[in-house]
Amino acid sequence: MSDRPGRLGVGIVGAGRVGAVLGMVLRGAGHAVVGASGVSEASRDRIADLLPGVPVLDVEQVVERAELLLLTVPDDALPGLVTGLAGLGRFTEGQLVVHTAGRFGVRVLEPARKAGAIPLAIHPAMTFSGTALDRARLNGAPFAVTAQEDALPIAIALVVELGGEPVVVEEGARGRYHAALAHASNHLVTVVAQARTLLSRTGVDNPGALMAPLAQAALDGAVRMGDAALTGPVARGDRGTVAEHVTELSAPGVESDVLPTYRALARATAERAARAGRLRSADRDAVLHALDAPLRQQARQPRVVRTRAELKAALSVDPTHRRRAVVMTMGALHDGHLELVRRAAAVADEVVVTIFVNPLQFGPDEDLDRYPRTWEDDLAKLTGLGVVDVLFAPDVAQMYPHGEPQIRVNAGELGTVLEGVARPGHFDGMLTVVAKLLHLTRPDVAIFGRKDAQQLSLIRAMVADLDMDVEIVAIPIVREPDGLAMSSRNAFLSPSQRESALALSRAMRAGQEAAPDGPGAVLAAAAAQLQAAAGEVGVDYLELVDPATLRPPGAQQQELATLLLVAATVGTTRLIDNAVIDYSSD
Ligand code: AMP
C-alpha cells in the first residue's frame, strides 16, 4: 500500500518494456509500485533498472497486493491470464485492472469485472525502448482509452497522470484502431529498413542521414493530408521510371522481400492516386503494367491442359489479382494467331490460349474432318513466344460431355446475313463455344482478330446482351507479304490457287483506294479485281455494310458503309477478307 494518501499501490504483471516504463512513470507521480512479475532475465534486469527496490514476485502475489493492477503481458497471453486469475479468485472488489493490449477493449477483462474489479484498457500509441528515455516519449503521447462509461473518467485520469493524451476508442473499434497503427508504424519500419539496406549498397556512407529529410517530410505530409501528400513517379504516371525501378530491384543481391513490397505498395499507390483523381486511369494502367514487367519478361512455358479440372487447377487464384487474357483458336496456328497472343501478353499478366476445333460451328458439308490439325507445330510456336501460361486443348468429349448441347447461344439477326447465309447455324455454334470457353477460362480480356469481322461483331453483341463480364479486344488483320490474309485454310490452296486467292486482298485494297470517290466506286473497284480472277475465284458475296448492323445502309446514310467484306471459294476452299473504308480524302 502507498503510505501517501490518495496514492495507489501499483502491481505490474509482465514487466516488459511497456509495463516497466508505465510503472516507472506512475512511481514518479508518487504511487508505490508494490511488486512486479517478470519471467525472463530481460524483464528482471528491467525491473532492477527502472524500478529499483521493487520486489519481484510471482503473478498471484502481485495481483493480491495491487490496488491498480497493470497487465502488460503480450496481447495473445492476456485472455488466458485474465481467465486464469479469475478462476483462482484473485481479483478484488474495486481493484483497478488495466491492460495495455492494443487490439482489446475491456471485454477481455470481463472475468475481472464479474469479480468486482474495474476494468480499464489503455494503449499508448507509442513505441518504447525499455529504458529511462521512454519517460520523455510518454509526455504528450496519445493513448487509446476504452472503458465502460462510468469508469471512463478513471481511465482518462490515469492517462493524464502518465503524461499522455487520452483518445477514447469504442470497444468495437479497437481491432481496426490497432491494425491502422501497426500498419502506419511497424510497416513503415520495414519499408525504411529496406530502403536503408538498398542505399547502403550504393556506397552511401550514412544511408539513414541521406533519406531522413525526405522520408520525414513525406511522413509529415501524409500525417497531415493523407493521399494529397503523394509525389513521385507513380503519382506522375511515369511508367518508364517505375519500370526502371522494378528492373533494379529484380537484380541479384537485392533482398528478396524488397521487390514484392515495392510492387504491392506501388500498385496501391497507383490505385489510390487514380481514385483521388490525381492519375488518369490510362496512366494508372501503364504504371500497373510496368510493375508487372518482370513477370512477363521471364520466358514462360505453356502448361498444356486437356480437361476442365486441369484447366481449373492451372488458372491462377492470386488474391492480388493477375489480369488474365484468353486467345481462342482452332489451331493450325499462323502469325495472325501469334499476333493475338502477343497482344494478350501486352495487356494481361496471365495468358491462356485455347485450341479447339468446334464441331458445332461446322455445317454437315463443311471441312470439319479435313480442317488442318498441326498440334506439334502449334505447341512449338506458342512455346517459342514465351508468353503463354496455359494452353487448353480439350477434345470434343471434354467440351460436350453430354453430346450436342441442348441450349445454345442464338446469334439472332446478325447471324443470318453475310457468312450466315452460306453457313446457317455457324454463328450459333461459334457463340456457344466462345461462351463456354469464356466461362471455363474466366478471363478479364479476350482477344479476337478483325479477320473474322462478323464473328467479332457477334461476340461483342453477345457479351453486351448477355452481360458477360469480359473486355473484348480486336487486332487488325495480319497478312502475308503479298497481301493474302493469313488463314489456317490457306494450307488447302495449291500454288496456283494461292495466286488466284490474292484477288480477295487486291479487291479490298482497290476498294480502300477508291474510297474518296464514294461507296459506289469502292464496290466497283473491288468487284473489278474479283472479276479479273473470275475463272478461279467464285465470289459468294461482296458487300459494303454498316459495321453496326452488318447491312448495307440506306441511300441517305451511305457514309456509314465503312466495312467492305468478301467471301469467295477458290478450288474447294472458302476464304474471307475485309477492309475498313475511310472516306475522308487525306
Ligand atoms: P481461328 O483459329 O481461325 O478460329 O481464329 C482464331 C482467332 O484468330 C480469331 O479471333 C481470328 O479472328 C483470329 N485470326 C485468324 N486469322 C487472322 C489474321 N490473319 N489476322 C488477325 N487475326 C486472325
Side-chain angles (χ1 to χ4, degrees):
M1 281 314 121
S2 168
D3 49 11
R4 294 171 62 188
R7 306 298 156 97
L8 296 166
V10 178
I12 302 169
V13 174
R17 294 179 191 183
V18 177
V21 168
L22 296 186
M24 171 182 74
V25 175
L26 286 171
R27 202 182 202 191
H31 300 287
V33 179
V34 293
S37 77
V39 270
S40 71
E41 202 164 315
S43 299
R44 284 159 187 272
D45 286 351
R46 225 178 273 120
I47 294 169
D49 257 11
L50 302 181
L51 300 167
V54 169
V56 178
L57 307 172
D58 65 30
V59 174
E60 287 177 53
Q61 287 173 313
V62 173
V63 179
E64 213 169 287
R65 294 186 185 189
E67 293 158 315
L68 167 61
L69 179 64
L70 277 180
L71 302 178
T72 46
V73 294
D75 293 11
D76 283 344
L78 184 63
L81 174 69
V82 177
T83 330
L85 287 172
L88 293 170
R90 287 292 179 264
F91 295 115
T92 51
E93 186 77 32
Q95 189 177 35
L96 296 172
V97 178
V98 184
H99 80 73
T100 57
R103 72 180 155 108
F104 294 117
V106 283
R107 197 169 303 133
V108 68
L109 299 176
E110 190 58 15
R113 191 192 65 79
K114 284 201 176 123
I118 300 169
L120 309 172
I122 65 170
H123 176 251
M126 176 47 72
T127 171
F128 295 108
S129 60
T131 67
L133 295 176
D134 292 334
R135 192 193 298 272
R137 287 195 184 180
L138 266 186
N139 236 325
F143 273 69
V145 171
T146 307
Q148 285 179 341
E149 215 174 324
D150 49 356
L152 204 51
I154 307 175
I156 291 172
L158 176 61
V159 168
V160 170
E161 182 122 328
L162 286 164
E165 192 60 45
V167 179
V168 176
V169 176
E170 295 299 322
E171 176 79 31
R174 288 289 294 234
R176 187 173 292 195
Y177 152 82
H178 193 238
L181 284 193
H183 196 47
S185 55
N186 307 149
H187 300 170
L188 185 64
V189 170
T190 304
V191 171
V192 172
Q194 289 177 336
R196 206 164 171 273
T197 313
L198 274 175
L199 275 178
S200 70
R201 306 247 163 99
T202 63
V204 169
D205 277 347
N206 189 344
L210 173 61
M211 68 186 163
L214 178 59
Q216 267 155 12
L219 178 59
D220 287 347
V223 163
R224 269 188 300 116
M225 338 182 247
D227 290 320
L230 184 66
T231 58
V234 170
R236 289 194 303 272
D238 179 353
R239 73 168 92 177
T241 301
V242 171
E244 175 75 30
H245 291 174
V246 167
T247 308
E248 279 299 328
L249 300 182
S250 311
V254 175
E255 290 168 311
S256 62
D257 53 300
V258 178
L259 180 63
T261 312
Y262 181 97
R263 290 178 64 220
L265 289 175
R267 215 181 271 144
T269 305
E271 298 287 7
R272 296 183 69 86
R275 271 210 308 272
R278 299 203 36 209
L279 190 61
R280 289 182 309 144
S281 61
D283 289 333
R284 173 200 57 198
D285 292 348
V287 168
L288 296 180
H289 200 250
L291 285 169
D292 287 335
L295 292 182
R296 287 192 302 275
Q297 275 159 11
Q298 291 157 8
R300 289 177 261 165
Q301 293 284 319
R303 180 153 161 208
V304 177
V305 292
R306 302 273 180 192
T307 66
R308 294 150 181 269
E310 286 170 356
L311 174 66
K312 197 165 187 178
L315 296 178
S316 79
V317 283
D318 185 347
T320 58
H321 193 68
R322 305 219 294 142
R323 192 168 150 83
R324 179 184 303 147
V326 66
V327 172
M328 301 178 190
T329 80
M330 298 206 297
L333 301 183
H334 50 66
D335 263 359
H337 295 116
L338 301 190
E339 200 52 38
L340 298 183
V341 179
R342 285 190 200 99
R343 175 63 70 87
V347 300
D349 315 303
E350 186 181 19
V351 175
V352 180
V353 175
T354 69
I355 295 183
F356 178 61
V357 183
N358 174 36
L360 219 59
Q361 70 191 64
F362 285 78
D365 302 325
E366 292 186 359
D367 54 359
L368 174 61
D369 292 335
R370 70 173 191 129
Y371 195 86
R373 288 165 172 85
T374 57
W375 170 253
E376 294 299 331
D377 202 36
D378 292 351
L379 181 58
K381 282 179 176 161
L382 292 175
T383 306
L385 287 178
V387 298
V388 179
D389 298 284
V390 177
L391 172 54
F392 181 46
D395 63 12
V396 174
Q398 194 56 227
M399 283 304 283
Y400 301 109
H402 312 296
E404 287 217 352
Q406 287 196 59
I407 309 297
R408 299 176 190 211
V409 181
N410 181 344
E413 277 279 292
L414 281 182
T416 62
V417 297
L418 301 167
E419 285 296 286
V421 176
R423 309 186 67 187
H426 164 69
F427 287 121
D428 292 357
M430 179 280 293
L431 290 176
T432 302
V433 84
V434 169
K436 283 166 72 78
L437 288 170
L438 287 175
H439 290 136
L440 289 170
T441 59
R442 304 189 311 274
D444 301 281
V445 51
I447 324 283
F448 295 92
R450 293 197 187 279
K451 161 85 182 345
D452 301 272
Q454 189 174 6
Q455 164 175 301
L456 178 64
S457 298
L458 279 160
I459 290 169
R460 286 196 192 283
M462 171 176 75
V463 164
D465 288 352
L466 300 186
D467 303 307
M468 295 180 169
D469 189 13
V470 61
E471 182 189 344
I472 302 297
V473 167
I475 69 148
I477 300 177
V478 178
R479 299 178 178 280
E480 302 285 358
D482 59 8
L484 182 68
M486 289 190 184
S487 163
S488 305
R489 290 190 167 98
N490 292 349
F492 297 141
L493 301 171
S494 71
S496 73
Q497 287 171 339
R498 197 189 169 294
E499 193 57 36
S500 308
L502 288 176
L504 278 77
S505 53
R506 281 201 200 107
M508 297 300 100
R509 213 171 36 246
Q512 282 176 320
E513 282 163 10
D517 299 325
V522 169
L523 274 174
Q529 291 295 331
L530 295 167
Q531 185 59 35
E536 294 82 34
V537 176
V539 177
D540 181 4
Y541 60 79
L542 171 70
E543 288 197 40
L544 188 52
V545 301
D546 172 353
T549 62
L550 296 181
R551 298 211 185 256
Q556 310 305 317
Q557 291 190 299
Q558 280 298 299
E559 75 286 358
L560 296 180
T562 56
L563 185 60
L564 181 64
L565 299 126
V566 65
T569 305
V570 180
T572 54
T573 307
R574 193 160 189 287
L575 300 174
I576 56 174
D577 202 344
N578 67 80
V580 175
I581 305 299
D582 177 5
Y583 297 110
S584 59
S585 47
D586 42 292

